[in-house]
């Protein structure tokens, strides 16, 4: 807790009056330490309110790319922009408050169901917490637990299944209601029925925010407004599912391979 953060605010950093959610990765290059570059001179623009899926083989930098947006890491070259402003010129607290992240690894805390969802927006009322749980497809199992929303989930949520933990994490970010949403394999621990329910919820609210979805199960992103395909050289293909299948390139190969599994 006493370790100084590596990412710090510039003295001249200013909070924007509001955040629309326009994103741009401009000539971005990045590598971990002295290792090989994850990507070099990558360029990508995402319009406010757009629902974009990032796909590609393991190790091409999908998660790393999204981690640059809230400044979990800094690019070696180039810039990441939010509404045309370099994220390094925005106070970190304001930047991260504008971005919701749901990762494959879920972080829950000792306490009740309601308290864990409320981490998304401290001070939220019970009605708002329940509505967020409904959007995440979690309300049903919560009400079946002894104590319902006041049920104690134990350290790290050990009293819940992996799928239940993930739905609470998704409910938390729905409660936060950020203009930019990043879903990194967010439905990986769910069965097909639960995953479909959450996908429908995501699609309902996608028009209200910029959404970046990282998925290995390509069937979950068929309805994305745009699919961006990454390879070792950066962005190699873009388009809808139908356009990319007709192209017969990298995405088509990945999709056919996933269908055979």
């Amino acid at each position: 807790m006493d370790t100084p953060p590596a990412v710090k605010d510039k003295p001249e950093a200013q909070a924007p009056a509001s955040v629309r959610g326009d994103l741009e990765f401009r000539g971005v290059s990045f590598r971990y330490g002295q290792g090989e570059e994850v990507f070099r001179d990558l360029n990508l623009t995402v319009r406010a309110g757009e629902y974009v899926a990032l796909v590609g083989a393991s190790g091409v930098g999908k998660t790393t790319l999204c981690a640059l947006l809230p400044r979990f890491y800094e690019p070696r070259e180039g810039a990441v922009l939010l509404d045309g402003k370099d994220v390094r010129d925005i106070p970190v607290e304001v930047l991260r408050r504008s971005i919701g992240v749901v990762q494959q690894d879920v972080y829950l805390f000792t306490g009740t169901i309601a308290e864990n969802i409320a981490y998304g927006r401290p001070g939220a009322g019970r009605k708002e917490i329940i509505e967020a749980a409904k959007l995440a497809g979690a309300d049903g199992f919560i009400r079946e637990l002894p104590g319902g929303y006041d049920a104690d989930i134990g350290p790290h949520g050990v009293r819940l299944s992996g799928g239940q933990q993930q739905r609470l994490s998704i409910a938390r970010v729905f409660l936060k209601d950020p203009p930019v949403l990043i879903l990194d394999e967010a439905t990986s621990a769910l069965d097909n029925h639960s995953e479909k329910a959450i996908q429908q919820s995501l699609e309902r609210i996608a028009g209200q925010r910029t959404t970046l979805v990282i998925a290995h199960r390509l069937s979950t992103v068929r309805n994305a407004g745009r699919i961006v395909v990454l390879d070792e050289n950066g962005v190699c293909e873009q388009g809808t599912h139908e356009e990319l299948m007709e192209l017969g390139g990298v995405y088509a190969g990945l999709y056919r391979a996933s269908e055979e599994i």
Side-chain angles (χ1 to χ4, degrees):
M1 293 293 291
D2 294 331
T3 302
V7 174
K8 299 180 179 180
D9 288 337
K10 291 181 177 180
E12 65 273 20
Q14 292 185 343
S18 61
V19 175
R20 298 187 307 276
D22 286 307
L23 310 177
E24 183 181 355
F25 299 85
R26 183 183 296 171
V28 171
S29 299
F30 179 83
R31 67 183 174 202
Y32 291 99
Q34 300 301 315
E36 294 184 5
E37 286 186 314
V38 181
F39 37 73
R40 181 175 178 79
D41 194 26
L42 185 147
N43 294 280
L44 176 66
T45 300
V46 179
R47 299 183 302 276
E50 193 174 6
Y51 191 103
V52 173
L54 301 177
V55 304
S58 297
V60 297
K62 302 183 295 293
T63 297
T64 300
L65 185 66
C66 289
L68 296 177
L69 184 57
R71 294 186 69 194
F72 295 155
Y73 302 105
E74 302 277 39
R76 188 172 63 84
E77 295 178 357
V80 180
L81 290 83
L82 174 62
D83 293 341
K85 188 173 184 177
D86 193 316
V87 294
R88 290 168 290 198
D89 295 327
I90 301 173
V92 172
E93 181 181 354
V94 175
L95 176 67
R96 294 179 180 172
R97 196 165 58 230
S98 303
I99 301 168
V101 182
V102 181
Q103 298 173 306
Q104 184 175 7
D105 296 323
V106 176
Y107 295 93
L108 298 178
F109 306 93
T110 300
T112 67
I113 294 278
E115 287 169 341
N116 269 275
I117 295 176
Y119 277 114
R121 181 154 51 88
R126 179 59 65 97
K127 184 177 180 181
E128 295 169 304
I129 291 171
I130 293 173
E131 183 59 30
K134 289 179 178 178
L135 281 172
D139 182 69
F141 87 78
I142 291 173
R143 293 187 182 278
E144 293 175 357
L145 295 172
Y149 282 84
D150 295 316
D152 192 306
I153 64 173
H156 308 295
V158 294
R159 295 173 184 164
L160 303 176
S161 70
Q164 290 172 337
Q165 292 177 11
Q166 214 155 23
R167 277 179 274 183
L168 289 192
S169 180
I170 293 170
R172 182 188 292 163
V173 81
F174 281 173
L175 180 64
K176 184 178 182 180
D177 194 26
V180 179
L181 183 60
I182 298 172
L183 302 172
D184 188 352
E185 293 288 338
T187 59
S188 62
L190 305 181
D191 57 59
N192 290 338
H193 177 74
S194 299
E195 182 176 57
K196 185 176 181 180
I198 291 178
Q199 285 297 131
Q200 291 172 344
S201 296
L202 292 175
E203 290 170 9
R204 278 203 307 272
I205 66 170
Q208 304 171 22
R209 73 199 72 236
T210 307
T211 306
L212 296 178
V213 181
I214 300 170
H216 287 295
R217 268 189 281 182
L218 301 187
S219 60
T220 65
V221 297
R222 286 190 55 165
N223 295 330
R226 178 161 51 114
I227 298 171
V228 175
V229 186
L230 302 178
D231 65 9
E232 61 276 6
N233 297 313
V235 177
C236 63
E237 296 176 355
Q238 297 187 57
T240 63
H241 170 78
E242 291 74 17
E243 290 169 344
L244 293 175
M245 290 300 292
E246 186 176 347
L247 184 64
V250 175
Y251 176 82
L254 290 171
Y255 189 83
R256 294 189 184 101
S258 68
E259 290 289 283
E260 294 172 359
I261 297 176

